[in-house]
Amino acid sequence: MSDYANDSRFPGPDPYAPLNDLPSFTLTSTDLVDGDEIPEKFRAPSSESPQLAWSNLPEGTKSLAVTCFDPDAPTASGFWHWAAFNIPADVAELPTNAGAAENLGIDGVKSLTNDSGERTHFGAQPPEGHGPHRYLYAVHAVDTEELDIPADATPTVLGFNLHFHAIGRAILWGWAETK
């Protein structure tokens, strides 16, 4: 497993460093290799979301959230590509392109508007010539069945709620560059 936080190719900070140190669990993908370049079909404009599967969740997990964040975007706040929550704890994977649907194809799941203005997964798209960017796919184990977050909230609001309700976090990452 490659270390997204200590790779000198990337200019941005480790966005999870100031957060609670949470136990991890198993997170895999048939579409992404941790630390490798992201295949074209998972980049904009195609924007398919990768298959993600998880296991060995912490005891007390009642729901899950899935996010994708680019900490290397040329902003002071990174760029949110995906934010979905209230995923039932008995769901163990999202198939390829589940992020095309606001509810991931699962009743009760909610997605927030990402920084591209969509409630679906938005693929990797670093600005031309800006260098490589990391895309951190995180699955968050949550201690409540439902997070009460307004539909017009931002992914940052989800992150704030996860600070108080996440009991585990697993990250799988890839990178992309537009030359």
Side-chain angles (χ1 to χ4, degrees):
M1 177 181 287
S2 181
D3 184 2
Y4 73 87
N6 295 306
D7 190 319
S8 63
R9 294 176 294 167
F10 306 102
D14 172 3
Y16 293 101
L19 304 181
N20 295 337
D21 188 22
L22 298 175
S24 189
F25 48 89
T26 304
L27 176 59
T28 61
S29 176
T30 57
D31 294 324
L32 300 178
V33 175
D34 197 43
D36 279 5
E37 187 171 6
I38 294 175
E40 284 296 323
K41 77 181 203 171
F42 304 110
R43 300 182 190 199
S46 176
S47 295
E48 288 188 30
S49 60
Q51 182 269 356
L52 298 171
W54 48 87
S55 60
N56 304 315
L57 296 171
E59 187 174 332
T61 301
K62 296 183 180 174
S63 69
L64 301 151
V66 175
T67 58
C68 180
F69 184 70
D70 170 4
D72 302 308
T75 72
S77 59
F79 193 97
W80 287 101
H81 285 257
W82 198 19
F85 61 102
N86 293 346
I87 301 166
D90 62 354
V91 172
E93 87 171 279
L94 296 176
T96 302
N97 210 25
E102 289 183 22
N103 72 351
L104 309 179
I106 304 167
D107 288 340
V109 172
K110 296 180 183 178
S111 290
L112 298 174
T113 303
N114 60 34
D115 287 336
S116 66
E118 303 167 359
R119 289 185 183 275
T120 55
H121 176 270
F122 184 74
Q125 189 179 37
E128 186 173 334
H130 194 256
H133 285 213
R134 294 165 293 174
Y135 296 86
L136 309 180
Y137 286 89
V139 177
H140 312 264
V142 180
D143 67 359
T144 183
E145 289 180 15
E146 186 173 311
L147 291 170
D148 186 21
I149 298 173
D152 62 350
T154 64
T156 301
V157 172
L158 172 61
F160 183 78
N161 279 267
L162 289 172
H163 174 75
F164 298 100
H165 291 285
I167 57 175
R169 179 186 314 113
I171 299 170
L172 190 144
W173 72 284
W175 63 272
E177 182 174 12
T178 304
K179 294 184 179 188

XYZ file of all heavy atoms in Angstrom, residues 100-170:
536
model
N -23.051 7.184 -10.335
C -23.840 7.861 -11.361
C -25.244 8.179 -10.845
O -25.925 9.040 -11.384
C -23.924 7.020 -12.632
N -25.679 7.479 -9.794
C -26.988 7.711 -9.198
C -26.818 8.446 -7.868
O -25.919 8.119 -7.090
C -27.708 6.372 -8.959
N -27.670 9.428 -7.619
C -27.564 10.203 -6.384
C -27.679 9.328 -5.144
O -27.095 9.633 -4.112
C -28.626 11.302 -6.350
C -28.356 12.416 -7.318
C -29.377 13.531 -7.234
O -30.045 13.676 -6.187
O -29.490 14.279 -8.219
N -28.441 8.240 -5.223
C -28.599 7.354 -4.062
C -27.744 6.089 -4.185
O -27.928 5.147 -3.419
C -30.065 6.998 -3.840
C -30.606 6.041 -4.882
O -29.954 5.747 -5.887
N -31.816 5.545 -4.650
N -26.832 6.064 -5.130
C -25.934 4.924 -5.379
C -26.692 3.650 -5.704
O -26.145 2.562 -5.642
C -25.005 4.680 -4.175
C -24.239 5.877 -3.636
C -23.388 5.461 -2.444
C -23.384 6.511 -4.714
N -27.988 3.779 -6.000
C -28.823 2.615 -6.251
C -29.279 1.930 -4.978
O -29.730 0.791 -5.014
N -29.191 2.650 -3.830
C -29.535 2.081 -2.518
C -30.531 3.009 -1.841
O -30.249 4.204 -1.645
C -28.276 1.936 -1.633
C -27.213 1.099 -2.346
C -28.638 1.339 -0.280
C -25.842 1.171 -1.683
N -31.690 2.485 -1.448
C -32.703 3.298 -0.766
C -32.127 3.976 0.468
O -31.413 3.344 1.256
C -33.897 2.437 -0.346
C -34.752 2.005 -1.527
O -34.680 2.653 -2.595
O -35.495 1.010 -1.377
N -32.450 5.255 0.634
C -32.065 5.998 1.827
C -30.719 6.697 1.747
O -30.399 7.537 2.588
N -29.897 6.355 0.758
C -28.587 6.995 0.624
C -28.775 8.398 0.058
O -29.615 8.623 -0.814
C -27.654 6.163 -0.284
C -26.362 6.910 -0.578
C -27.353 4.823 0.360
N -27.999 9.336 0.580
C -28.045 10.718 0.107
C -26.670 11.118 -0.403
O -25.654 10.705 0.143
C -28.446 11.648 1.254
C -29.840 11.401 1.769
C -30.167 12.351 2.905
C -31.541 12.068 3.471
N -31.833 12.953 4.610
N -26.674 11.930 -1.445
C -25.439 12.502 -1.967
C -25.528 14.018 -1.888
O -26.593 14.594 -2.093
C -25.207 12.086 -3.414
O -24.900 10.722 -3.502
N -24.412 14.638 -1.607
C -24.341 16.088 -1.555
C -23.740 16.614 -2.850
O -23.048 15.881 -3.574
C -23.492 16.525 -0.360
C -24.045 16.098 0.996
C -23.062 16.440 2.111
C -25.409 16.728 1.258
N -23.980 17.861 -3.132
C -23.434 18.488 -4.328
C -21.925 18.612 -4.190
O -21.421 19.180 -3.218
C -24.067 19.871 -4.554
O -25.487 19.717 -4.647
C -23.537 20.517 -5.826
N -21.205 18.065 -5.165
C -19.750 18.158 -5.132
C -19.311 19.521 -5.686
O -20.148 20.345 -6.062
C -19.114 16.981 -5.887
C -19.534 16.925 -7.339
O -19.748 17.939 -7.998
N -19.663 15.715 -7.864
N -18.022 19.750 -5.737
C -17.528 21.055 -6.165
C -17.686 21.315 -7.663
O -17.432 22.424 -8.134
C -16.070 21.248 -5.736
C -15.950 21.490 -4.244
O -16.939 21.947 -3.619
O -14.866 21.231 -3.689
N -18.141 20.321 -8.416
C -18.462 20.542 -9.826
C -19.946 20.841 -10.008
O -20.407 21.021 -11.128
C -18.058 19.337 -10.679
O -18.847 18.219 -10.328
N -20.696 20.887 -8.894
C -22.107 21.228 -8.939
C -23.036 20.051 -9.169
O -24.222 20.244 -9.430
N -22.532 18.819 -9.034
C -23.333 17.622 -9.277
C -23.498 16.814 -7.994
O -22.656 16.858 -7.115
C -22.648 16.762 -10.346
C -22.414 17.496 -11.650
C -21.479 16.756 -12.588
O -20.988 15.672 -12.238
O -21.228 17.287 -13.679
N -24.560 16.027 -7.929
C -24.799 15.136 -6.781
C -24.360 13.714 -7.099
O -24.853 12.756 -6.526
C -26.269 15.132 -6.390
C -26.719 16.405 -5.744
C -28.162 16.290 -5.268
N -28.591 17.539 -4.720
C -28.374 17.925 -3.460
N -27.740 17.132 -2.629
N -28.795 19.097 -3.045
N -23.445 13.593 -8.016
C -22.937 12.292 -8.430
C -21.416 12.351 -8.370
O -20.832 13.378 -8.042
C -23.416 11.962 -9.862
O -23.027 13.027 -10.736
C -24.921 11.779 -9.915
N -20.781 11.249 -8.695
C -19.319 11.205 -8.726
C -18.817 12.045 -9.897
O -19.332 11.946 -11.012
C -18.870 9.750 -8.894
C -17.400 9.586 -9.042
N -16.777 9.597 -10.279
C -16.420 9.405 -8.126
C -15.479 9.426 -10.113
N -15.236 9.306 -8.812
N -17.818 12.881 -9.659
C -17.161 13.653 -10.714
C -15.726 13.167 -10.789
O -14.995 13.209 -9.804
C -17.215 15.155 -10.413
C -16.632 16.000 -11.505
C -17.320 16.192 -12.692
C -15.390 16.593 -11.356
C -16.786 16.965 -13.710
C -14.844 17.363 -12.370
C -15.542 17.552 -13.548
N -15.338 12.685 -11.951
C -14.032 12.055 -12.113
C -12.860 13.016 -11.986
O -13.000 14.238 -11.997
N -11.692 12.421 -11.876
C -10.444 13.171 -11.757
C -10.284 14.114 -12.945
O -10.521 13.723 -14.083
C -9.269 12.199 -11.691
N -9.869 15.343 -12.656
C -9.658 16.313 -13.727
C -8.748 17.445 -13.237
O -9.171 18.575 -13.052
C -10.991 16.883 -14.222
C -10.835 17.719 -15.479
C -12.167 18.244 -15.970
O -13.049 18.599 -15.208
N -12.318 18.284 -17.282
N -7.474 17.145 -13.032
C -6.578 18.215 -12.594
C -6.387 19.244 -13.709
O -6.435 18.891 -14.888
C -5.272 17.493 -12.288
C -5.329 16.229 -13.076
C -6.786 15.876 -13.197
N -6.189 20.509 -13.349
C -5.965 21.520 -14.380
C -4.714 21.201 -15.201
O -3.717 20.717 -14.657
C -5.768 22.813 -13.591
C -6.347 22.552 -12.248
C -6.200 21.086 -12.010
N -4.795 21.473 -16.478
C -3.677 21.215 -17.377
C -2.417 21.925 -16.884
O -2.443 23.111 -16.539
C -4.018 21.689 -18.787
C -2.976 21.330 -19.817
C -3.399 21.666 -21.224
O -4.613 21.720 -21.498
O -2.501 21.878 -22.056
N -1.324 21.167 -16.814
C -0.036 21.721 -16.425
C 0.154 21.949 -14.940
O 1.210 22.424 -14.522
N -0.832 21.608 -14.098
C -0.725 21.843 -12.656
C 0.046 20.740 -11.939
O 0.334 20.846 -10.764
C -2.109 22.031 -12.036
C -2.070 22.584 -10.651
N -2.284 21.814 -9.534
C -1.807 23.837 -10.208
C -2.174 22.574 -8.454
N -1.887 23.806 -8.829
N 0.356 19.682 -12.634
C 1.056 18.563 -12.012
C 0.092 17.492 -11.565
O -1.125 17.604 -11.739
N 0.605 16.423 -10.964
C -0.262 15.319 -10.527
C -1.070 15.705 -9.292
O -0.621 16.476 -8.451
C 0.726 14.196 -10.212
C 2.001 14.895 -9.879
C 2.017 16.149 -10.702
N -2.280 15.172 -9.255
C -3.172 15.363 -8.115
C -3.551 14.004 -7.547
O -3.746 13.045 -8.292
C -4.463 16.058 -8.545
C -4.325 17.511 -8.828
N -5.336 18.388 -8.584
C -3.298 18.250 -9.326
C -4.955 19.613 -8.940
N -3.713 19.545 -9.403
N -3.721 13.945 -6.227
C -4.224 12.738 -5.560
C -5.747 12.796 -5.472
O -6.333 13.861 -5.282
C -3.682 12.652 -4.127
C -2.201 12.452 -4.031
C -1.713 12.730 -2.631
N -1.882 14.171 -2.358
C -1.652 14.729 -1.183
N -1.275 13.992 -0.151
N -1.804 16.021 -1.011
N -6.353 11.634 -5.570
C -7.794 11.491 -5.394
C -7.981 10.449 -4.307
O -7.678 9.267 -4.507
C -8.464 11.111 -6.728
C -8.278 12.250 -7.707
C -7.119 12.339 -8.478
C -9.206 13.275 -7.775
C -6.906 13.417 -9.320
C -8.998 14.370 -8.616
C -7.843 14.429 -9.379
O -7.627 15.506 -10.201
N -8.449 10.911 -3.141
C -8.556 10.062 -1.960
C -9.985 9.553 -1.830
O -10.893 10.312 -1.501
C -8.163 10.846 -0.704
C -6.835 11.591 -0.758
C -6.592 12.322 0.557
C -5.684 10.653 -1.067
N -10.166 8.267 -2.118
C -11.465 7.619 -1.930
C -11.485 7.091 -0.502
O -10.684 6.224 -0.145
C -11.651 6.478 -2.928
C -11.925 6.980 -4.320
C -10.888 7.248 -5.203
C -13.231 7.214 -4.743
C -11.138 7.730 -6.478
C -13.488 7.694 -6.014
C -12.443 7.957 -6.873
O -12.705 8.436 -8.131
N -12.381 7.628 0.304
C -12.461 7.226 1.707
C -13.828 6.632 2.001
O -14.858 7.145 1.539
C -12.204 8.425 2.619
N -13.824 5.552 2.754
C -15.051 4.970 3.293
C -14.986 5.193 4.794
O -13.978 4.869 5.433
C -15.184 3.474 2.948
C -16.435 2.884 3.591
C -15.217 3.283 1.427
N -16.037 5.787 5.321
C -16.099 6.156 6.730
C -17.135 5.283 7.431
O -18.291 5.224 6.988
C -16.511 7.630 6.879
C -15.734 8.557 5.998
N -14.630 9.245 6.436
C -15.910 8.918 4.695
C -14.160 9.995 5.449
N -14.909 9.809 4.390
N -16.741 4.590 8.489
C -17.666 3.823 9.325
C -18.286 4.806 10.318
O -17.576 5.560 10.985
C -16.920 2.721 10.055
N -19.614 4.801 10.408
C -20.354 5.800 11.178
C -21.125 5.118 12.311
O -21.654 4.023 12.135
C -21.307 6.587 10.243
C -22.088 7.641 10.994
C -20.519 7.222 9.091
N -21.203 5.808 13.466
C -21.830 5.230 14.663
C -23.339 5.436 14.757
O -23.952 5.116 15.773
C -21.154 5.777 15.924
C -21.402 7.265 16.145
O -22.091 7.918 15.325
O -20.894 7.794 17.149
N -23.954 5.958 13.725
C -25.397 6.163 13.712
C -25.944 5.708 12.357
O -25.239 5.754 11.352
C -25.756 7.649 13.988
O -27.166 7.792 14.044
C -25.189 8.575 12.936
N -27.203 5.253 12.348
C -27.788 4.765 11.107
C -28.025 5.885 10.110
O -28.025 5.653 8.907
C -29.102 4.035 11.385
C -28.897 2.700 12.065
C -30.199 1.974 12.336
O -31.244 2.349 11.755
O -30.166 1.007 13.120
N -28.239 7.093 10.619
C -28.557 8.200 9.723
C -27.945 9.496 10.228
O -28.134 9.872 11.387
C -30.077 8.355 9.616
C -30.513 9.378 8.610
C -32.018 9.380 8.423
O -32.598 8.293 8.226
O -32.609 10.472 8.481
N -27.203 10.145 9.353
C -26.719 11.486 9.642
C -27.774 12.459 9.136
O -28.236 12.357 8.003
C -25.384 11.748 8.951
C -24.195 10.959 9.488
C -22.985 11.123 8.561
C -23.849 11.388 10.899
N -28.167 13.389 9.983
C -29.209 14.360 9.639
C -28.543 15.601 9.067
O -28.265 16.565 9.774
C -30.033 14.695 10.883
C -31.219 15.583 10.555
O -31.641 15.621 9.387
O -31.723 16.245 11.490
N -28.273 15.545 7.778
C -27.580 16.621 7.079
C -28.519 17.154 6.005
O -29.068 16.367 5.219
C -26.266 16.109 6.454
C -25.328 15.608 7.567
C -25.595 17.197 5.628
C -24.076 14.936 7.065
N -28.723 18.463 5.952
C -29.627 19.026 4.942
C -29.172 18.725 3.516
O -27.972 18.648 3.235
C -29.568 20.537 5.201
C -29.013 20.693 6.574
C -28.153 19.486 6.826
N -30.121 18.584 2.619
C -29.831 18.258 1.221
C -28.990 19.329 0.531
O -28.263 19.035 -0.413
C -31.138 18.051 0.449
N -29.056 20.566 1.011
C -28.292 21.648 0.387
C -26.943 21.884 1.071
O -26.238 22.836 0.752
C -29.100 22.947 0.344
C -29.459 23.469 1.724
O -29.270 22.753 2.738
O -29.938 24.617 1.804
N -26.560 20.999 1.972
C -25.266 21.128 2.655
C -24.126 20.780 1.697
O -24.332 20.170 0.652
C -25.220 20.212 3.875
N -22.938 21.161 2.082
C -21.747 20.866 1.287
C -21.058 19.611 1.825
O -21.303 19.189 2.962
C -20.756 22.035 1.360
O -20.310 22.157 2.717
C -21.388 23.335 0.885
N -20.156 19.027 1.051
C -19.365 17.902 1.567
C -18.555 18.289 2.812
O -18.282 17.433 3.649
C -18.457 17.541 0.393
C -19.241 17.922 -0.808
C -19.935 19.205 -0.400
N -18.211 19.555 2.953
C -17.507 19.999 4.158
C -18.380 19.799 5.392
O -17.883 19.413 6.450
C -17.072 21.474 4.016
O -16.222 21.574 2.868
C -16.346 21.966 5.244
N -19.683 20.029 5.263
C -20.608 19.796 6.381
C -20.645 18.312 6.716
O -20.657 17.929 7.890
C -22.008 20.349 6.074
C -23.019 19.949 7.141
C -21.963 21.870 5.929
N -20.638 17.462 5.693
C -20.555 16.020 5.950
C -19.273 15.716 6.716
O -19.295 14.994 7.711
C -20.598 15.227 4.640
C -20.329 13.722 4.763
C -21.354 13.032 5.660
C -20.283 13.079 3.375
N -18.159 16.286 6.277
C -16.888 16.060 6.965
C -16.945 16.487 8.418
O -16.409 15.801 9.297
N -17.584 17.603 8.694
C -17.730 18.079 10.066
C -18.526 17.065 10.895
O -18.138 16.722 12.014
C -18.415 19.446 10.072
C -18.552 20.052 11.433
C -17.470 20.657 12.053
C -19.769 20.017 12.102
C -17.596 21.223 13.316
C -19.898 20.573 13.360
C -18.809 21.174 13.975
N -19.616 16.563 10.333
C -20.417 15.551 11.037
C -19.641 14.256 11.236
O -19.769 13.603 12.278
C -21.719 15.289 10.270
C -22.770 16.325 10.549
O -23.597 16.150 11.427
N -22.731 17.431 9.809
N -18.830 13.900 10.251
C -18.032 12.680 10.393
C -16.999 12.824 11.509
O -16.642 11.833 12.146
C -17.361 12.330 9.064
C -18.302 11.828 7.971
C -17.554 11.694 6.645
C -18.965 10.524 8.373
N -16.539 14.033 11.753
C -15.599 14.243 12.862
C -16.195 13.724 14.171
O -15.483 13.157 15.000
C -15.247 15.727 12.994
C -14.411 16.035 14.190
N -13.063 15.727 14.249
C -14.730 16.566 15.389
C -12.593 16.088 15.422
N -13.582 16.598 16.134
N -17.482 13.892 14.348
C -18.148 13.492 15.589
C -18.740 12.085 15.538
O -19.039 11.518 16.587
C -19.247 14.502 15.944
C -18.699 15.866 16.196
C -18.761 16.843 15.218
C -18.061 16.167 17.396
C -18.237 18.111 15.443
C -17.522 17.428 17.623
C -17.605 18.397 16.638
N -18.920 11.525 14.341
C -19.615 10.235 14.236
C -18.823 9.111 13.577
O -19.257 7.966 13.604
C -20.947 10.414 13.503
C -21.953 11.189 14.288
N -22.631 10.656 15.357
C -22.361 12.486 14.177
C -23.432 11.570 15.871
N -23.284 12.696 15.169
N -17.694 9.400 12.970
C -16.913 8.334 12.341
C -16.149 7.555 13.407
O -15.537 8.139 14.303
C -15.944 8.911 11.315
N -16.201 6.241 13.288
C -15.473 5.372 14.221
C -14.402 4.555 13.499
O -13.686 3.776 14.116
C -16.441 4.450 15.000
C -17.294 3.610 14.047
C -17.324 5.291 15.937
C -18.180 2.581 14.740
N -14.305 4.747 12.197
C -13.283 4.094 11.397
C -13.215 4.759 10.037
O -14.184 5.378 9.594
N -12.043 4.634 9.395
C -11.863 5.244 8.073
C -10.838 4.425 7.298
O -9.785 4.093 7.828
C -11.373 6.677 8.213
C -11.131 7.397 6.907
C -10.496 8.783 7.076
N -11.101 9.602 8.095
C -10.476 9.968 9.226
N -9.244 9.595 9.483
N -11.088 10.718 10.099
N -11.157 4.128 6.058
C -10.218 3.454 5.166
C -10.086 4.297 3.902
O -11.077 4.832 3.407
C -10.705 2.050 4.834
